[in-house]
Amino acid sequence: MLTRQFIKRMILAGALLTLFPLAQAYAFIDGITGTSFQFAAREGRLSTPDGGNLMFWGFADITPGGRSTVQYPGPTLIINQGDTVTITLANELNEPVSMMFPGMTMLSSTAPVFSKGQPGKITSLVPEAAPRETQTYRFKAEKPGTFYYQSASNQAIQLRMGLFGAIVVRPGSLGAVSVTIPTYLSCPPVGHREGSGGVNTIISAAPCAKNFTTYAYGHQSSAYDREFLYLASEMDPKFQRWMEFEPDKINNPFDFSTWKANYWFINGRNAPDTMGMANAMNLPSQPYNCMPLFHPGEQVLIRIINMGQDFHPLHTHGNHMDVIAEDGNLLQSAPGSGADLSWEAFTVTMAPGKTFDAIFDWTGKGLGWDIYENTAIFRPYEYIPDHLKTFTPFTSPVASGTTPKLAAQGLPVIMPGIQETIAGPNWSGSPFLGSMDALPPGEGGFNPFSGFFYMWHSHAERELTNNDIFPGGFLTMAAIVPWPATGDNLTIYDEYMP
Amino acid sequence: MKFRIQPSALAALITVCVTVSLPLGLHAKSYDLRADTASITMPDGTVVPVWGFADITAGSGDGIVKVPGPALDLPAADTNLTINLTNKLPVPVSIYIPGLRLAPAPANVGGRVMSFTAHAPAAPAGGQTTASFSFTGLKPGTFIYQSGSNPSAQIPMGLYGAVIVRPAAANQAYNDAASAYDNEQVVVFSEIDPAFNSYVSSNKTTIDAAHKINYSLSYAPKYFLINGKTYPDTTSPASQLVAPPARKTLLRLINAGSQNHVPTIAGKPVRIIGEDGNFLTYARNEHAPVLPAGKTLDAILDLSSTPLTEGNFFTMFDRRAWRASSVDTTGSMIAFIKSYPTAPDVPVSLDCNPFKGDMNADGKIDIVDVMILLNKFINSTTDPNGDVTPVSLAGLPCGSGTGVLKLADAMYVLQKALDIN
Ligand SMILES: [Cu+2]
């Protein structure tokens, strides 16, 4: 086992330097908190992974102490149910800009604006900030959930340019709620998070329970361990360039019937940048990534928002997701009943201006083999029948390329010889979760945990390109990160999986 | 508008009429429709040839060709509908209603299926043909009637309209108290590509070697319509939708176009209670309901918790934000819902429209209007158009309803003249 352990550590060390320098940003939704914000609307530039560079209009958080850089999408507001929020918008663009907050109770005016009262000259659906002026918006967040803000001015242009952002409203505390774990799963770790102790020693008889303290809505049916944002948008580079370079926009207008997206974004980035680190220095105006990392059995909340013009089918590999809310409303048959009207889907139609919340989890249930390679002990949330069915201890490594690997387990993998293999950067060398094996020299390195990777992406396959270059676009990989095993360096998990 | 102050009394009246005059199930509403050519003028002056339906029912029809066609609004509890079609178009026309039963009888032209049902043949020059379509066993809901012949050409040309089937209970969309409403509005979404319409109206729909059906390849709508009007024509008082404060308004949302829309009301979610003519046991609260082509949704704009005195002017828009040109908003899918305090709920009805303050009615608010208002104020002349303060919570110039002018009114109009908001 020395070789395997050695390779594993080597790869881990390398990966730490290259891929995950700001690892904390992978496991929660980045955003700004508070109840009073100052925003600026201004022009910026974003990068696309094909080497492209497009002008956009976005919001910048110019609250004292804020990031102050214009960004795509705008800053994610993370606020609490019951908050009264004030946003002062300073407009640095050359046309009026405004902000609307669908689903919020507006405390500032909602009257549409017609320039000099001319019925044919609507400029905004709510009061706006004229160029170089400010406008103040106030709203009360009466309901928890997933929402957004967007410009309500000249929407055909300003939405395509990027004047939007996400809002997360957290519910009041329910306290810790205990949820019984199904008897076919092994028990959750004590204290739940890595580094809190005891994750390696769980061999306990079902049933057992788990305490949740985080909820999307004020009900235990919306409990989650980790949350990730999927904010969709798209761009037609032809339009962005017209906006940037056309000197006479009046006499050479853009014909929107010819608008056709060729870039698709998740949280403001195209694949593979979606999977880079948050706040990457090479993407100064695109601070948000989208790289779900989670352990088997964890409840993963996916907050889904479409800020584009087109419909996007969001598809999760690995399992179905359970859609529990729509437009910030828990799907319940009666108040307090919980998400009893939730529905399962492997594809959710992201509609323009619409939000969904979905819960995803993965345990390997029913795969038919022990995902952890015949370990003697249970790790948390293992599917017990598969673990028991395949438990066949072995004492020495089996050379790759010579023998069917652990044929007794029914996992139909015959490893080719290492010289005949081209490894993807996420390949750990082993088909088992948390297990590494020999890799060709220079290969691998993007999978320090030996996790499983599932593509979560738009199922409109054309949207998996960056201006005709595949792969790219609306694509990211969700990583199933194994629960740590005895001997694992828990501080590494702490760093990546807060 | 079907808004009533005392629903219970009228409901009782309707129930009595219905039960006395005709036994349930024997009703058979009959409409005589004429399919004909017309033209409509877009706000930018473009004249677009259309095909539409006119209601020529004796005694009730006005004979005017409309796009959308006249709403076929059935009496309460009526379960049968007959449409007698007179066709004056140079192409075969039929009528079908997705969601209602109709024996399919596909008609072939030149070896291609060109109709889902028997049609009224192409009218000879100067003449007309006829056909009759009967639908039985109707259940309550919102539906679309449209041409079932060469639909890829004839529906974009304008041959569509709303069908409303009502339960016995008045002011309910379905046979369920949860579908109750005080006021209802039919809202039909569609699009127009003027080049497409010109092509089809010049009778290039004949199928022969010279005229393949190729016009739909380049279909690219330029005007996005709500109830047959596009912005800014939708600002006219006649085109504004109505949803009184403190009331529940049923919006019968119908997409008769070829594109998918997301009708959104700025600042107000709706409650979706019906879909494709089916009552939803569990309503969905949404601020961005999806209305794909050919679909209907019944949405309640619930203002029952809004004070009777609150004036609003809601914007309804397609969140997909399509429009023709980058230059201006003409042709956008934007409509308005006025929600004004109305007598006798309040002592005086208030006009809260955001265009108030245009004292000389020249279509814009400028310094001249401020001068006129000040002059009238000094001379104590009343003018409802200048009576703009106090403004409502939403920021609208509702005024006092008396027409008496104040200095504050002049200040407000000055603010509008300077585009301060
Ligand atoms: Cu896939």
Side-chain angles (χ1 to χ4, degrees):
Chain A
M1 297 295 272
L2 179 67
T3 309
R4 186 185 300 193
Q5 283 296 330
F6 179 71
I7 292 170
K8 186 172 176 177
R9 295 300 167 215
M10 286 287 285
I11 291 172
L12 270 176
L16 274 176
L17 291 172
T18 55
L19 188 66
F20 298 123
L22 283 173
Q24 277 90 343
Y26 280 91
F28 58 90
I29 293 176
D30 290 310
I32 56 177
T33 57
T35 56
S36 182
F37 304 95
Q38 292 169 36
F39 273 20
R42 64 170 74 131
E43 188 181 303
R45 303 199 65 83
L46 58 80
S47 296
T48 58
D50 57 345
N53 192 296
L54 296 169
M55 187 186 87
F56 74 98
W57 291 350
F59 292 108
D61 175 21
I62 57 167
T63 315
R67 227 175 138 262
S68 81
T69 309
V70 64
Q71 60 178 77
Y72 182 81
T76 298
L77 296 183
I78 300 175
I79 56 181
N80 296 312
Q81 184 181 6
D83 281 354
T84 295
V85 176
T86 304
I87 299 181
T88 302
L89 171 66
N91 184 8
E92 299 175 12
L93 296 170
N94 285 323
E95 65 176 66
V97 175
S98 58
M99 295 180 80
M100 62 190 287
F101 307 86
M104 302 295 164
T105 304
M106 291 310 295
L107 303 175
S108 54
S109 166
T110 53
V113 178
F114 297 86
S115 178
K116 296 199 189 305
Q118 300 168 93
K121 299 285 181 194
I122 191 166
T123 58
S124 174
L125 309 188
V126 297
E128 64 198 11
R132 292 164 296 283
E133 302 284 342
T134 62
Q135 182 66 252
T136 299
Y137 303 93
R138 287 180 70 236
F139 63 85
K140 186 165 188 206
E142 300 208 70
K143 301 182 301 177
T146 302
F147 302 91
Y148 60 88
Y149 58 87
Q150 63 160 72
S151 176
S153 303
N154 199 9
Q155 290 188 66
I157 285 179
Q158 296 193 8
L159 292 179
R160 288 182 172 92
M161 289 304 288
L163 288 164
F164 46 72
I167 303 178
V168 172
V169 182
R170 304 214 178 281
S173 173
L174 287 181
V177 174
S178 180
V179 174
T180 304
I181 302 303
T183 54
Y184 53 75
L185 295 178
S186 57
C187 284
V190 176
H192 175 58
R193 298 272 195 253
E194 296 84 356
S196 305
V199 294
N200 309 325
T201 57
I202 308 294
I203 310 177
S204 80
C208 45
K210 167 176 178 176
N211 285 336
F212 283 98
T213 54
T214 47
Y215 307 89
Y217 294 83
H219 191 274
Q220 68 184 63
S221 57
S222 65
Y224 65 89
D225 295 297
R226 300 178 192 273
E227 59 175 344
F228 300 96
L229 179 66
Y230 274 75
L231 185 149
S233 59
E234 68 284 308
M235 278 187 179
D236 176 351
K238 179 168 88 274
F239 172 69
Q240 306 300 123
R241 289 192 197 105
W242 178 87
M243 284 294 290
E244 184 169 12
F245 298 117
E246 174 53 53
D248 185 357
K249 292 193 172 61
I250 302 296
N251 291 309
N252 299 309
F254 190 88
D255 177 359
F256 281 122
S257 66
T258 68
W259 183 91
K260 193 179 186 197
N262 274 321
Y263 286 104
W264 294 270
F265 299 82
I266 309 174
N267 302 345
R269 293 184 185 182
N270 322 99
D273 290 346
T274 46
M275 294 169 277
M277 61 186 177
N279 300 307
M281 287 166 71
N282 60 324
L283 298 168
S285 292
Q286 296 150 278
Y288 300 146
N289 66 349
C290 186
M291 179 82 211
L293 294 175
F294 51 91
H295 292 303
E298 287 189 321
Q299 302 296 298
V300 177
L301 173 69
I302 314 172
R303 297 185 184 267
I304 300 167
I305 305 174
N306 185 353
M307 288 289 89
Q309 268 62 47
D310 290 337
F311 294 77
H312 302 290
L314 172 61
H315 173 59
T316 53
H317 283 238
N319 203 351
H320 299 268
M321 53 189 141
D322 191 24
V323 180
I324 60 160
E326 176 177 11
D327 285 354
N329 297 294
L330 194 64
L331 297 174
Q332 55 187 359
S333 60
S337 68
D340 56 349
L341 300 179
S342 71
W343 43 279
E344 284 205 335
F346 59 75
T347 302
V348 168
T349 306
M350 303 175 75
K354 203 165 185 58
T355 78
F356 291 101
D357 294 281
I359 302 271
F360 180 98
D361 71 355
W362 188 95
T363 60
K365 175 175 180 287
L367 286 180
W369 42 284
D370 180 0
I371 55 173
Y372 285 112
E373 193 183 15
N374 286 6
T375 45
I377 61 162
F378 284 102
R379 292 200 224 180
Y381 302 106
E382 275 198 71
Y383 182 57
I384 293 170
D386 280 355
H387 179 105
L388 295 176
K389 183 166 66 184
T390 61
F391 181 60
T392 313
F394 63 98
T395 52
S396 60
V398 180
S400 293
T402 53
T403 313
K405 189 167 177 65
L406 301 177
Q409 296 186 6
L411 180 64
V413 172
I414 299 172
M415 297 300 295
I418 204 160
Q419 293 86 350
E420 300 155 33
T421 306
I422 297 171
N426 291 338
W427 172 237
S428 70
S430 163
F432 296 100
L433 190 60
S435 185
M436 284 200 170
D437 215 327
L439 286 163
E443 299 288 3
F446 274 42
N447 187 0
F449 303 105
S450 300
F452 286 171
F453 286 76
Y454 287 109
M455 194 194 287
W456 289 5
H457 63 106
S458 166
H459 228 298
E461 309 293 335
R462 199 177 87 80
E463 301 181 355
L464 303 185
T465 57
N466 296 326
N467 210 10
D468 203 29
I469 298 171
F470 174 90
F474 192 107
L475 180 160
T476 189
M477 303 297 288
I480 315 285
V481 179
W483 289 101
T486 306
D488 279 351
N489 180 352
L490 291 181
T491 61
I492 293 171
Y493 285 82
D494 278 346
E495 201 175 334
Y496 298 146
M497 304 281 291
Chain B
M1 185 178 100
K2 308 245 179 239
F3 173 57
R4 294 175 302 97
I5 300 304
Q6 289 156 310
S8 54
L10 189 53
L13 187 65
I14 287 174
T15 312
V16 168
C17 291
V18 162
T19 42
V20 170
S21 61
L22 285 166
L24 284 175
L26 290 182
H27 304 223
K29 177 73 179 177
S30 177
Y31 279 97
D32 299 339
L33 299 182
R34 187 179 83 242
D36 209 339
T37 58
S39 63
I40 55 177
T41 305
M42 294 291 117
D44 58 7
T46 304
V47 177
V48 181
V50 295
W51 293 346
F53 290 112
D55 185 355
I56 54 169
T57 312
S60 59
D62 60 11
I64 299 170
V65 179
K66 291 172 184 164
V67 176
L72 308 184
D73 190 345
L74 274 65
D78 201 340
T79 59
N80 296 303
L81 168 65
T82 298
I83 302 171
N84 300 308
L85 174 66
T86 298
N87 182 20
K88 298 195 81 169
L89 294 173
V91 292
V93 175
S94 59
I95 290 176
Y96 83 121
I97 303 175
L100 301 191
R101 206 166 293 181
L102 180 70
N108 288 321
V109 176
R112 298 188 201 187
V113 174
M114 291 304 289
S115 171
F116 304 147
T117 182
H119 51 219
Q128 62 188 45
T129 62
T130 60
S132 186
F133 306 90
S134 284
F135 303 88
T136 58
L138 307 188
K139 56 192 184 62
T142 304
F143 302 91
I144 307 173
Y145 72 95
Q146 58 191 32
S147 176
S149 302
N150 196 7
S152 64
Q154 296 193 8
I155 294 173
M157 283 300 286
L159 291 171
Y160 52 79
V163 179
I164 298 162
V165 185
R166 300 179 181 281
N171 279 44
Q172 271 183 212
Y174 293 92
N175 285 311
D176 192 302
S179 66
Y181 58 85
D182 305 303
N183 169 49
E184 79 175 292
Q185 303 277 282
V186 176
V187 194
V188 180
F189 298 81
S190 58
E191 315 96 24
I192 282 184
D193 174 357
F196 178 92
N197 279 39
S198 296
Y199 190 97
V200 174
S201 74
S202 58
N203 197 20
K204 289 177 181 167
T205 61
T206 316
I207 300 161
D208 58 35
H211 298 118
K212 301 266 168 38
I213 307 180
N214 60 2
Y215 37 81
S216 62
L217 290 180
S218 54
Y219 181 73
K222 298 274 191 288
Y223 303 102
F224 300 86
L225 314 182
I226 296 178
N227 287 344
K229 299 284 184 191
T230 190
Y231 179 82
D233 287 351
T234 49
T235 57
S236 79
S239 297
Q240 290 170 16
L241 303 165
V242 178
R247 300 284 191 271
K248 286 184 205 168
T249 293
L250 170 67
L251 302 170
R252 298 184 184 269
L253 305 176
I254 296 172
N255 188 350
S258 303
Q259 297 197 337
N260 304 321
H261 298 295
V262 183
T264 303
I265 299 171
K268 280 290 167 196
V270 293
R271 191 162 68 240
I272 307 295
I273 61 159
E275 186 173 336
D276 288 344
N278 297 296
F279 177 68
L280 297 177
T281 308
Y282 299 107
R284 302 191 303 260
N285 289 306
E286 301 182 41
H287 48 70
V290 178
L291 188 66
K295 197 168 186 67
T296 74
L297 292 175
D298 297 300
I300 298 280
L301 173 58
D302 192 346
L303 302 178
S304 52
S305 62
T306 304
L308 288 166
T309 52
E310 189 173 320
N312 270 299
F313 192 75
F314 299 112
T315 313
M316 176 187 265
F317 62 102
D318 179 13
R319 174 53 184 72
R320 301 193 70 198
W322 287 101
R323 68 180 201 228
S325 164
S326 57
V327 175
D328 64 27
T329 46
T330 299
S332 300
M333 196 168 249
I334 303 177
F336 302 94
I337 305 172
K338 64 179 173 190
S339 180
Y340 299 167
T342 311
D345 292 344
V346 293
V348 220
S349 295
L350 298 178
D351 174 5
C352 306
N353 89 72
F355 314 114
K356 262 169 85 175
D358 179 12
M359 303 297 287
N360 58 0
D362 66 347
K364 64 177 189 294
I365 297 173
D366 54 19
I367 203 72
V368 178
D369 298 301
V370 182
M371 301 312 291
I372 296 172
L373 202 160
L374 277 173
N375 192 31
K376 289 193 168 180
F377 162 67
I378 291 164
N379 293 307
S380 299
T381 312
T382 58
D383 186 338
N385 200 25
D387 178 12
V388 291
T389 60
V391 297
S392 73
L393 286 175
L396 290 159
C398 291
S400 60
T402 61
V404 174
L405 303 179
K406 303 172 286 295
L407 204 51
D409 296 329
M411 295 311 293
Y412 180 87
V413 174
L414 176 64
Q415 206 177 311
K416 289 290 152 194
L418 297 175
D419 264 344
I420 297 168
N421 63 89

